[in-house]
Amino acid sequence: MVDSSDMAVFWAVVLARFLIPLLILRYPLPAILAALVLDGVDQTIFQLFTNLPLDGYQGYDKALDIYYLTIAYIFTLRSWTNQTAFLTSRFLYYFRLVGVFLFEFLQLRWLMLVFPNVFEYFFIFYETYAAGGKKNWDPRHMSKRVVIGAAAAIWIFIKLPQEYWIHVAKMDTTDFIKETIYGVPLDAAWGATIVGAPLITLSILAVIALLIGVIWWIFKYKLPPMQRPLKLKADPLPEEVDEVHERLALSAQTRIFSSALLEKIVLIGFVLVIFGQILPGRSSSDLQMILGVALLAVVNAFLSHWLARRGKGIESTAVEFVVMSAVNLGLILFFAFILPSFSGSINLANTLFFTLMFTLIVTLFDMYHPVYRFRFSEGRA
């Protein structure tokens, strides 16, 4: 029987991995770094504070990675003003999404080396550039050479070695530190390990302090001088589309069956199928799930257009999420009611999760895709 304290730790970590990424929409750089750190330490937390089996950790971890990368991608629709950088990030995001999708089905670890998660570090690079406050550090003026060069450097020098280390060599950082650096068994307690080798611990702390000092020295003395304080909060939206009803009205001017609708279906379909691999008791096939996503996406698009064209646009993202959740849950409950007549059934717990995840992504996409269209179609970047 699973201990209640173990489950409390597990659900606290899972809840944090769902909630922290939402802060990306307001504080992109701190939030993505917090999500990255939590992604890196959650397995260690489970090992230290629980006795939970971690056999399915890879699938769980990859699904939650895709979740916070999806929120980050939607933020690029909202805020990125350099079109080359945005198009590069879009390619990197979908490239990784396809890789994780294939990994969940084939369980071939080398796929993560072929489809590395370059998007995450490229997002951090762009947001650091935007937040830096240095002279001429305006992402709108970032050249194509800088954008492509940064993406290539991250791909070759950071992500390929990292993906090889994790997925091909199957090396865990905490295990490496224990076995190779401290020379103790994997089941040794961290407290005793750190205290028992003070010279090694002090050496590690000294190296970390040296790296921090070098980074600070470069930033302080080798880069252009600061022109403003660090900017950690997301920029305000363009005045023409800073209200929810303005963005919905802009969406209502386009065709319902558009490239945006197709992107939503592909995006959400892949994300939910990836999550579907880790949820127990799932009764639907992947094809049925994608068809369900397509149907709900079309219904949501018709409803949003209908409301916007009649001047009944929602006035906040939270209200939009609540309203669309109610609509989608109503549709799901209707199908749950009639499916037994056709010898079918659904898992209500899983369906509730999928519906809320679907509604969250659709709501955020619909809120910020019009900003992207306004910014670049009108040449205002």
Side-chain angles (χ1 to χ4, degrees), residues 63-77:
L64 288 174
D65 285 354
I66 285 298
Y67 165 73
Y68 83 77
L69 295 180
T70 300
I71 303 299
Y73 169 66
I74 290 174
F75 178 82
T76 66
L77 291 168

Side-chain angles (χ1 to χ4, degrees), residues 263-273 293 358 361-362:
E263 182 178 359
K264 275 191 290 188
I265 293 172
V266 172
L267 170 62
I268 303 170
F270 272 49
V271 170
L272 293 189
V273 167
V293 166
F358 169 90
I361 297 175
V362 164

Side-chain angles (χ1 to χ4, degrees), residues 133-144:
K134 293 291 186 177
K135 184 178 180 181
N136 300 325
W137 278 29
D138 186 336
R140 290 175 298 178
H141 304 146
M142 196 187 303
S143 68
K144 291 182 179 180

Side-chain angles (χ1 to χ4, degrees), residues 118-242:
V118 181
F119 169 81
E120 180 178 46
Y121 281 32
F122 184 74
F123 183 95
I124 293 172
F125 159 76
Y126 182 98
E127 287 303 321
T128 301
Y129 196 99
K134 293 291 186 177
K135 184 178 180 181
N136 300 325
W137 278 29
D138 186 336
R140 290 175 298 178
H141 304 146
M142 196 187 303
S143 68
K144 291 182 179 180
R145 181 178 179 180
V146 170
V147 170
I148 303 302
I154 293 169
W155 193 311
I156 297 168
F157 299 111
I158 299 178
K159 293 309 298 184
L160 284 182
Q162 184 184 53
E163 299 288 1
Y164 176 83
W165 170 277
I166 296 173
H167 296 291
V168 179
K170 299 182 181 180
M171 296 291 291
D172 179 80
T173 301
T174 54
D175 293 348
F176 176 81
I177 292 173
K178 275 188 176 181
E179 288 187 318
T180 305
I181 297 180
Y182 280 100
V184 299
L186 291 179
D187 58 356
W190 272 108
T193 299
I194 293 171
V195 173
L199 289 179
I200 295 177
T201 301
L202 289 174
S203 298
I204 293 173
L205 293 175
V207 170
I208 293 173
L210 178 63
L211 289 174
I212 293 174
V214 169
I215 293 172
W216 176 84
W217 179 77
I218 292 173
F219 196 84
K220 180 73 174 179
Y221 295 107
K222 292 299 181 181
L223 295 177
M226 297 284 287
Q227 286 188 319
R228 54 174 169 78
L230 292 177
K231 180 173 62 65
L232 300 180
K233 190 174 181 179
D235 287 329
L237 295 173
E239 184 178 352
E240 296 88 342
V241 287
D242 62 351

Side-chain angles (χ1 to χ4, degrees), residues 17 33-45 57 61 65 68 120 166 172-174:
R17 292 201 64 177
L33 291 174
L36 176 62
V37 169
L38 184 57
D39 173 36
V41 303
D42 63 346
Q43 185 177 18
T44 302
I45 292 173
Y57 174 79
D61 185 57
D65 285 354
Y68 83 77
E120 180 178 46
I166 296 173
D172 179 80
T173 301
T174 54

